[in-house]
Amino acid sequence: MDRYCVFGNPIAHSKSPAIHAAFAAQTGQSLTYEARLAPLDGFAAAVQAFIAEGGKGANVTVPFKLEAHKLAQALTVRAQAAGAVNTLHFTEQGIIGDNTDGAGLVADIVNNAGVAITGKRVLLLGAGGAARGVVLPILEHRPARLVIANRTVATAEELARQFAALGGAGVVSGCGFGQVQGPFDIVINATSASLQGDLPPLPAGVFAPGTLALDMMYGAQPTVFMQYATGHGALARDGLGMLVEQAAEAFAMWRGVHPATGEVLHQLRAAL
Ligand code: ATR
């Protein structure tokens, strides 16, 4: 039976094994998928050990996405643009690194939330790894503009500069939170502020009635960002849909069949 796993540290609470088991059952694919704790200083060795055991592919989560990018012998365009890898494919040609986070986010916005990105004003909060991973897939949907806002302004400006060269010229710009001028149709929180219960200090007028406000974080309760956005008339959404969609993209890369995600998302939501 083909073997897959997710590497992380910590990893015990990963939902990926349950998600991929559900995808396998639904599509009639015969495979196993387990969670593997890699030592903080032993990611590459853990991957090599899994390959030696016959592993066919792996997902990679915190804190190993940059190391996975270095380890891969070939990178998809979206993994190159993201500068990070969340999906490894072990092939006869070597280790291929992909990044399905951005495609997962876009699929959740377009297919699950039913909100088109094309022609829209999009605000991306944060300029770290999570933000970088989603810029190219968003630009591929041709928004009217994409503003990247970050606490450290220079990082946002640098990210915007890099993606201006990748089809974002005239569309993408970077600034600090205080310089953001709304309103926006879609606001995505890719900062890790929610983890500390913090809110990026957004100026008034960012949200309009009906703005889609998506936090990449999720939990049993709405995040502070979701609560703030809802209070300003936005439709708030957490990152659970993105999680399931990035998994579906990885599954499709490995198995050549794209699973349906609705029922899996429903079950995960009920179990939060
Ligand atoms: P990740 O992989 O989750 O993106 P990261 O690369 O460390 O992690 O990036 C964290 C992001 O959250 C950064 O954009 C960071 O802003 P800085 O570049 O200024 O550090 C942002 N961030 C973290 N805590 C924040 C807070 N309390 N308020 C606003 N932004 C915050």
Side-chain angles (χ1 to χ4, degrees):
M1 207 171 332
D2 288 347
R3 297 179 59 179
Y4 299 86
C5 74
V6 56
F7 290 106
N9 189 331
I11 200 63
H13 294 98
S14 172
K15 299 187 190 308
S16 293
I19 295 172
H20 283 278
F23 288 164
Q26 177 208 121
T27 57
Q29 298 274 313
S30 178
L31 58 86
T32 65
Y33 188 110
E34 64 192 278
R36 287 207 166 190
L37 181 74
L40 290 176
D41 61 353
F43 171 70
V47 171
Q48 294 301 347
F50 188 58
I51 293 173
E53 291 167 34
K56 291 277 189 278
N59 284 127
V60 181
T61 187
V62 177
F64 298 124
K65 290 184 184 183
L66 295 180
E67 269 190 80
H69 182 267
K70 282 195 208 117
L71 186 71
Q73 290 153 320
L75 293 168
T76 61
V77 171
R78 59 192 185 181
Q80 284 173 39
V85 158
N86 80 332
T87 303
L88 294 168
H89 195 183
F90 309 131
T91 72
E92 284 175 6
Q93 285 76 44
I95 302 175
I96 299 171
D98 192 9
N99 191 312
T100 65
D101 285 331
L105 174 78
V106 164
D108 187 52
I109 292 173
V110 175
N111 303 334
N112 299 341
V115 175
I117 294 172
T118 309
K120 299 288 179 61
R121 300 160 298 186
V122 181
L123 173 62
L124 180 61
L125 304 171
R132 169 181 292 273
V134 302
V135 175
L136 186 65
I138 291 172
L139 286 175
E140 283 172 353
H141 278 251
R142 305 175 63 79
R145 64 188 179 108
L146 173 62
V147 176
I148 303 171
N150 195 40
R151 182 173 61 182
T152 309
V153 182
T155 320
E157 290 173 344
E158 176 57 24
L159 200 55
R161 230 186 334 268
Q162 289 174 19
F163 281 95
L166 280 173
V171 174
V172 62
S173 61
C175 63
F177 294 127
Q179 289 87 55
V180 171
Q181 289 189 339
F184 290 87
D185 305 295
I186 302 170
V187 181
I188 299 158
N189 184 18
T191 71
S192 49
S194 298
L195 286 177
Q196 304 118 45
D198 277 349
L199 195 64
L202 297 172
V206 162
F207 300 104
T211 295
L212 176 67
L214 192 149
D215 199 335
M216 288 194 190
M217 304 290 165
Y218 61 84
Q221 304 301 325
T223 66
V224 280
F225 172 78
M226 291 168 68
Q227 291 173 30
Y228 179 83
T230 304
H232 288 76
L235 301 168
R237 196 171 175 81
D238 70 8
L240 200 62
M242 176 183 174
L243 176 77
V244 175
E245 295 297 340
Q246 64 77 28
E249 286 281 326
F251 191 93
M253 186 215 192
W254 293 326
R255 309 301 300 182
V257 49
H258 202 286
T261 52
E263 182 57 26
V264 178
L265 179 53
H266 183 72
Q267 283 170 6
L268 282 184
R269 174 79 59 207
L272 274 184

